[in-house]
Amino acid sequence: MGSTLLQKVWDLHTVRRLPTGQTQLLIGLHLVHEVTSPQAFDMLRLRGQGVAMPERTFATVDHIVPTDGQLRPFLDDMAEQMTVALERNCREFGVPLFGLDSAEQGIVHVIGPELGLTQPGMTIACGDSHTSTHGALGAVAFGIGTSQVRDVLASQSLAMELLKVRRIDITGSRPPGVYAKDVILAIIQRLGVNGGVGFAYEFGGTVVDRMTMDERMTLCNMSIEGGARAGYVNPDETTIAYLRGRRFVPIGAAFERAAAWWRSIASDADTDYDDRLEINGATLAPMVTWGINPGQSLAVDGRVPREADVPAGDSAGVRDALEYMGFSAGAPIAGTRVDVAFIGSCTNGRLSDLREAARIVQGRKVARHVRGLVVPGSKSVAEAAEREGLPEIFRAAGFEWRAAGCSMCLAMNPDRLNGREVCASSSNRNFKGRQGSPTGRTLLMSPAMVAAAAVAGEVTDVRRMLPAGETR
Ligand code: SF4
């Protein structure tokens, strides 16, 4: 019987079994940002400890940075203090920092793969839930809390329970207008937001095989929203082509040796998974969330559920969501008026996301009542988009083109909803108050769908705006 990638990587990184039954797991790459690290560094200082492996630790600023004018000191004193703290901690503990003065600053889950820090077969930890993103490259990547950030800084290891593996195959091909975001929203809708608890999700099948690395990152990014601690795609030729030439990746013969090893850690063909799910890609449609968790979603031509439509145990959740969102049970989701359109985040703030959204808005105008923001996931993404003239397309349509950061994904910065505004968002969480207003409402969807909603001024089916004869 063969092994999964998860099992192979786990075995290779096991330091020892702990008396608790957990595994002490060596962490190959620790990514740090300004929000979850200050107390962890303070704890090291109190104990007189250093960072165990600063050469395997990299930091950036993303959550709190303003995206509209980044002159220092920031107007927000708290943001300035957090940035200063990270700069001081990185200097004192010898951790490389991709700060605002670096051309490589950006959202931590965007810059890791972009720089080639993220590589197949690695164990990766970061104090942010969406660390699962890095699994797109065949890494086993976990989001951790502040006390675990301290543990990894101090010991380069984590106490972890071995996960089960659920293989999720997306077979056939995707219809036009269906993106990786729609695939993962559909998976979470079927399995539920707790369906992945105790599991890592291994994504495969022809639809995933044909996805670009950017798309695989979107898929793995939201594994955590389905309750899975990690999500990954087995490394293949797409992975290897993506990594070749990136800054932290070996070159020449060393790259070929690394690539051979990366291929070898993919799950074996005769692996017996703990669970399996298969979805026919042809059945998928553009998705929109209607509720207050990412599992409460439906196809864009669908209707908001009634309490009677769901199992008895779910009816209270539906009632709560309908009440918060102000939606009528049974109403079509298409036609819901939106006030804000946000394109960005570690889920969908990469170059290919911006390209797809630009294709939709090119030659069109954002509806007069909509505030549209495009926020690149990193400075590198912004520069590449600028070389292609994407900011001009967005600005001509009426969007604001911003600097790199997390922005309105969680609004720990000035980009936030006001009052009960409805936001068409390419981010990953639609929890109550997630985008900065305690009563703000978030509709998750693909960047192309956000672009279409911005133009229409309401939720609409992006397939109507695709160029004629479109096959993507
Ligand atoms: S974009 Fe959102 S989910 Fe991603 S790292 Fe930033 S705050 Fe976290």
Side-chain angles (χ1 to χ4, degrees):
M1 191 65 68
S3 290
T4 60
L5 175 144
L6 180 96
Q7 187 68 58
K8 294 182 194 183
V9 173
W10 199 274
D11 291 345
L12 287 165
H13 291 81
T14 294
V15 178
R16 63 183 171 132
R17 292 254 172 260
L18 297 168
T20 57
Q22 293 175 301
T23 305
Q24 184 184 357
L25 204 63
L26 182 76
I27 298 300
L29 173 67
H30 186 197
L31 297 168
V32 170
H33 63 85
E34 75 280 20
V35 174
T36 50
S37 66
Q39 289 163 305
F41 279 113
D42 284 347
M43 287 188 262
L44 287 196
R45 219 175 258 118
L46 271 175
R47 294 173 175 190
Q49 288 178 302
V51 171
M53 294 189 186
E55 71 281 12
R56 290 185 171 273
T57 312
F58 295 85
T60 191
V61 276
D62 51 9
H63 286 61
I64 52 84
V65 295
T67 64
D68 187 12
Q70 297 186 330
L71 282 180
R72 302 282 300 275
F74 300 140
L75 289 175
D76 177 351
D77 193 43
M78 177 67 81
E80 180 63 24
Q81 282 179 34
M82 286 176 119
T83 307
V84 167
L86 184 66
E87 290 166 341
R88 192 195 58 203
N89 288 331
C90 287
R91 258 196 322 273
E92 185 179 330
F93 289 92
V95 171
L97 168 65
F98 301 107
L100 278 182
D101 55 351
S102 161
E104 287 151 333
Q105 175 265 340
I107 305 175
V108 65
H109 310 311
V110 176
I111 69 167
E114 203 169 70
L115 291 166
L117 287 168
T118 303
Q119 295 177 16
M122 272 186 171
T123 47
I124 299 178
C126 173
D128 183 274
S129 313
H130 296 86
T131 306
S132 55
T133 311
H134 304 261
L137 288 95
V140 173
F142 310 106
I144 56 176
T146 294
S147 56
Q148 290 174 307
V149 171
R150 172 205 59 200
D151 294 346
V152 180
L153 288 172
S155 69
Q156 203 61 30
S157 64
L158 265 181
M160 296 284 297
E161 315 266 357
L162 178 61
L163 298 164
K164 294 183 282 185
V165 180
R166 174 177 288 138
R167 167 81 182 190
I168 301 179
D169 282 291
I170 314 296
T171 59
S173 56
R174 280 179 286 169
V178 173
Y179 297 89
K181 182 65 153 286
D182 304 304
V183 174
I184 188 64
L185 283 173
I187 291 169
I188 300 170
Q189 184 206 48
R190 284 177 206 206
L191 293 173
V193 289
N194 295 316
V197 172
F199 283 94
Y201 283 172
E202 178 181 303
F203 299 104
T206 48
V207 168
V208 177
D209 293 345
R210 291 183 199 132
M211 281 184 178
T212 64
M213 289 310 302
D214 282 6
E215 292 176 309
R216 293 177 185 181
M217 286 185 230
T218 300
L219 199 61
C220 292
N221 173 279
M222 288 191 68
S223 307
I224 186 76
E225 301 305 333
R229 189 74 199 271
Y232 65 86
V233 177
N234 285 308
D236 61 7
E237 298 314 305
T238 302
T239 323
I240 290 163
Y242 174 90
L243 284 168
R244 192 183 292 275
R246 294 193 182 262
R247 179 170 159 196
F248 285 91
V249 171
I251 54 173
F255 180 84
E256 300 310 326
R257 278 197 301 279
W261 185 73
W262 294 338
R263 289 184 190 99
S264 77
I265 52 112
S267 296
D268 298 319
D270 58 346
T271 300
D272 192 15
Y273 293 95
D274 297 294
D275 192 30
R276 300 194 77 125
L277 172 73
E278 187 174 312
I279 296 178
N280 178 354
T283 63
L284 298 174
M287 300 289 286
V288 185
T289 58
W290 60 268
I292 50 175
N293 69 55
Q296 292 178 320
S297 68
L298 74 178
V300 65
D301 53 2
R303 288 176 179 272
V304 175
R306 299 178 170 86
E307 277 182 58
D309 297 340
V310 301
D314 295 341
S315 62
V318 169
R319 200 179 320 130
D320 184 26
L322 290 176
E323 196 177 300
Y324 181 83
M325 296 300 288
F327 289 158
S328 304
I333 192 75
T336 303
R337 180 184 157 106
V338 303
D339 307 295
V340 178
F342 169 59
I343 297 172
S345 84
C346 61
T347 311
N348 280 126
R350 296 183 178 79
L351 183 61
S352 57
D353 299 313
L354 306 191
R355 281 185 187 141
E356 283 301 307
R359 267 172 13 111
I360 302 300
V361 303
Q362 186 150 31
R364 297 184 168 111
K365 291 281 183 199
V366 171
R368 290 172 73 90
H369 66 273
V370 173
R371 177 163 56 112
L373 265 69
V374 181
V375 188
S378 69
K379 284 192 181 169
S380 300
V381 169
E383 275 170 28
E386 281 156 17
R387 283 195 297 274
E388 296 183 16
L390 302 187
E392 287 73 24
I393 295 172
F394 285 115
R395 286 196 190 104
F399 275 97
E400 294 175 44
W401 176 259
R402 296 295 190 84
C406 295
S407 183
M408 211 181 264
C409 172
L410 90 169
M412 286 186 82
N413 53 71
D415 301 341
R416 42 188 53 226
L417 297 184
N418 299 310
R420 276 180 62 72
E421 281 183 329
V422 173
C423 181
S425 179
S426 71
S427 56
N428 45 52
R429 283 190 169 160
N430 53 342
F431 302 160
K432 293 178 181 176
R434 169 74 176 181
Q435 292 190 285
S437 162
T439 52
R441 295 170 286 172
T442 303
L443 307 179
L444 301 176
M445 56 189 85
S446 72
M449 279 283 286
V450 175
V455 168
E458 59 185 33
V459 174
T460 193
D461 192 335
V462 68
R463 291 174 292 194
R464 296 204 194 98
M465 293 192 189
L466 290 173
E470 182 63 64
T471 54
R472 169 70 173 68

